[in-house]
Amino acid sequence: MSDRFKGILDAITRVRGVRGAMIVVWQDGLIVSDSLMEGVRGNAVAALTSSVTKYAESVMLASGIGRLQFLHLQASNGVLLVVATGSETLVVAIAEPSVNVGLVRLELIRAAEAVK
Amino acid sequence: MADDVRSMTAELVRDPTSLVFLRLGEVLRAEGQVDAARKVALTGLERNPNLADAHDLYARILVDASELDYAQRVWESVLQIDPRHQGAHKGLGFLHYSRGDLDTALDHLELAVAADPTNQNVVQALQAVRDVADSLTAEEPVDAFAGFEGQDRGILLVDSQGRALAGRVMTGEGHDGTDAVAAHLVGVTQEMVRTARMLKLGDWQWLVVEGTDGNAHLTAPSGDSLLFVVRGRDVPAGRLALLADHAGDAARTWLAAQRP
C-alpha cells in the first residue's frame, strides 16, 4: 500500500467500530488499497461492493435521483458504507452495526476527495 | 327462579329421560352457575347424544367458561347433526366476530336468520355485525400512503416479484418511474441479501443511498414486500429514515387490510 493511500484509509479505520476500509475500482471490484482487520475478506468485500453499488445505482437512475454518491447498507451484524469518488473508484468501509455512521461517512468523503 | 330450578330438578329425578334438562341448563347458565349447568348438560348429552339442542346448550356453557375453541368444535358438531341449526350458526357467528373474522361471522349469522327470520335477536345481531363491517370498509384507506407528504411521487411499495402494490415514484423530469423502479428493487435487494450473507453482516435491515439529485431509503416492511422512499437532497438521511419508518407502519397496516 502506498503511503498516500495508507494514511487515507487509516483515518477511516481509526473510527471505533470500523473493521476495515478499502479503495476499490468500481467497474470490476478490484482492490486498489486496503486496511483490514484480520478475518475481513478483502476480495469478497471489494467484489460484492462493486456489484451491489451497481444494482443500487440502477434503481437510483430509474427513480431520477442521479448517480451514486453514498451508500449505507445496514444489517444486523454489520454495516457497509460506500462513497463514490467520482473517478471510477469507491471508498468502502465495513463496520460494526453500532458504528457512528456520520463520522465514518465524513472520513469516507474526505478519503474520496483525496483519492480522485 | 329458584323454584323453577327445584321443580325442573325434581322432574329430572322423576324422569331422567325428560328433555327438561335443556331448560334447566339454560336457567342455571342465566344464574351464572356454570359448573352446575355443565353437569346438567353433560348428563343430558349422555342420554341424548344426537340431540342438537343439547350440544348447543353445552357449547353456550363452554363459552360462559371461556372455552371458546371447544365451544366452536361443539357447535360445528351440531351442524353435522342439523346443518340449519340456528343456535349453532348464531354461536359460531359470535365466536368468529369476537376473533375479528367478520366475513365468517356474517356467513353464520345469515344462515341463522335464514333458519328463522322471525328471531329478532339473531336479526339484530346480523345487522350489528353488518354495521361494523361496513364501517371498517369505509375507513379503509384507498391508498396505503394517503396523507403522506410525497405519496404521489416518492413512496413505492412493491411485492417480492417487483410488482408495484401502492404509491408511485416520479422522476425529476416528471416521468412515472414506478414500474422501472419496482423491477430494479428486487434485483438490488437480492444483491444486498447476498452481500450481507457473504460478508457475514447478518440480515439486511435497510439501505440508504444518496445521489447527485436525491436520496432514497429501502426497507422491507414485511417478508414479501419492499418499501422505497425517495426525497430530494434537501431531506437529510436521518429525516428520510423517520419518513421511511412511518411509511413502513402505514404499509404494514395496509398490507394486513388487503389479506383475506
Side-chain angles (χ1 to χ4, degrees):
Chain A
M1 189 196 311
S2 74
D3 286 347
R4 176 177 166 238
F5 288 146
K6 183 179 187 318
I8 290 169
L9 295 178
D10 282 350
I12 301 167
T13 55
R14 271 198 294 271
V15 177
R16 185 189 298 271
V18 173
R19 297 175 192 161
M22 55 175 40
I23 299 163
V24 174
V25 179
W26 192 348
Q27 183 58 37
D28 52 21
L30 295 176
I31 300 172
V32 175
S33 184
D34 63 18
S35 174
L36 305 170
M37 285 175 64
E38 200 171 314
V40 178
R41 295 155 57 212
N43 287 333
V45 174
L48 290 163
T49 300
S50 167
S51 180
V52 79
T53 48
K54 286 175 193 164
Y55 275 96
E57 197 175 65
S58 68
V59 176
M60 297 172 70
L61 293 171
S63 55
I65 60 172
R67 303 296 308 271
L68 176 76
Q69 292 189 323
F70 172 69
L71 177 145
H72 170 189
L73 167 56
Q74 181 77 36
S76 53
N77 298 331
V79 297
L80 180 70
L81 301 161
V82 183
V83 165
T85 65
S87 61
E88 300 178 353
T89 51
L90 304 168
V91 187
V92 182
I94 190 161
E96 303 291 333
S98 58
V99 74
N100 183 333
V101 171
L103 196 52
V104 180
R105 179 175 177 275
L106 274 180
E107 293 299 342
L108 287 170
I109 291 170
R110 281 195 191 122
E113 288 294 322
V115 167
K116 73 179 177 186
Chain B
M1 193 70 82
D3 289 345
D4 285 349
V5 170
R6 269 194 293 274
S7 67
M8 285 188 282
T9 303
E11 186 179 338
L12 267 181
V13 170
R14 277 196 308 276
D15 177 11
T17 64
S18 168
L19 296 183
V20 77
F21 78 90
L22 294 171
R23 274 186 51 223
L24 176 59
E26 198 58 56
V27 169
L28 291 170
R29 264 194 73 221
E31 288 185 346
Q33 298 186 53
V34 177
D35 289 340
R38 184 195 293 252
K39 194 174 172 185
V40 167
L42 285 172
T43 304
L45 273 170
E46 278 177 22
R47 293 188 175 276
N48 304 277
N50 295 318
L51 184 62
D53 285 346
H55 290 280
D56 178 38
L57 168 66
Y58 185 44
R60 280 181 278 122
I61 293 166
L62 290 169
V63 169
D64 293 340
S66 301
E67 296 177 41
L68 302 187
D69 290 342
Y70 192 7
Q72 179 175 349
R73 290 197 295 276
V74 173
W75 269 319
E76 285 167 351
S77 73
V78 172
L79 294 179
Q80 300 287 321
I81 301 167
D82 177 3
R84 296 185 73 246
H85 195 278
Q86 187 179 48
H89 282 302
K90 183 184 172 190
L92 287 168
F94 161 77
L95 283 182
H96 287 291
Y97 174 76
S98 66
R99 291 169 180 154
D101 182 357
L102 299 186
D103 288 341
T104 308
L106 284 170
D107 288 345
H108 281 293
L109 290 172
E110 282 165 1
L111 289 167
V113 170
D116 178 7
T118 65
N119 186 327
Q120 285 306 304
N121 284 339
V122 180
V123 171
Q124 285 168 7
L126 173 61
Q127 190 55 51
V129 176
R130 276 181 180 157
D131 289 346
V132 172
D134 288 347
S135 68
L136 288 178
T137 303
E139 287 167 11
E140 193 173 289
V142 291
D143 190 291
F145 308 111
F148 269 82
E149 177 205 339
Q151 55 148 332
D152 55 345
R153 63 181 189 284
I155 303 179
L156 179 62
L157 183 68
V158 307
D159 69 10
S160 57
Q161 294 179 297
R163 294 174 299 197
L165 292 169
R168 189 160 63 159
V169 172
M170 299 294 288
T171 67
E173 292 83 35
H175 300 303
D176 189 337
T178 301
D179 289 340
V181 171
H184 283 297
L185 284 177
V186 175
V188 76
T189 304
Q190 289 169 346
E191 198 58 19
M192 272 195 301
V193 169
R194 188 169 81 104
T195 299
R197 188 183 70 241
M198 294 187 71
L199 298 183
K200 297 186 167 50
L201 298 177
D203 297 326
W204 81 278
Q205 296 172 328
W206 70 81
L207 176 78
V208 171
V209 286
E210 296 178 12
T212 47
D213 301 319
N215 303 329
H217 191 290
L218 175 64
T219 52
S222 68
D224 54 2
S225 66
L226 296 167
L227 177 67
F228 191 60
V229 181
V230 188
R231 288 295 183 274
R233 293 279 303 181
D234 56 324
V235 177
R239 191 170 152 222
L240 187 59
L242 287 174
L243 281 171
D245 265 359
H246 292 153
D249 290 341
R252 277 184 286 277
T253 302
W254 185 82
L255 284 166
Q258 305 311 303
R259 294 197 170 99

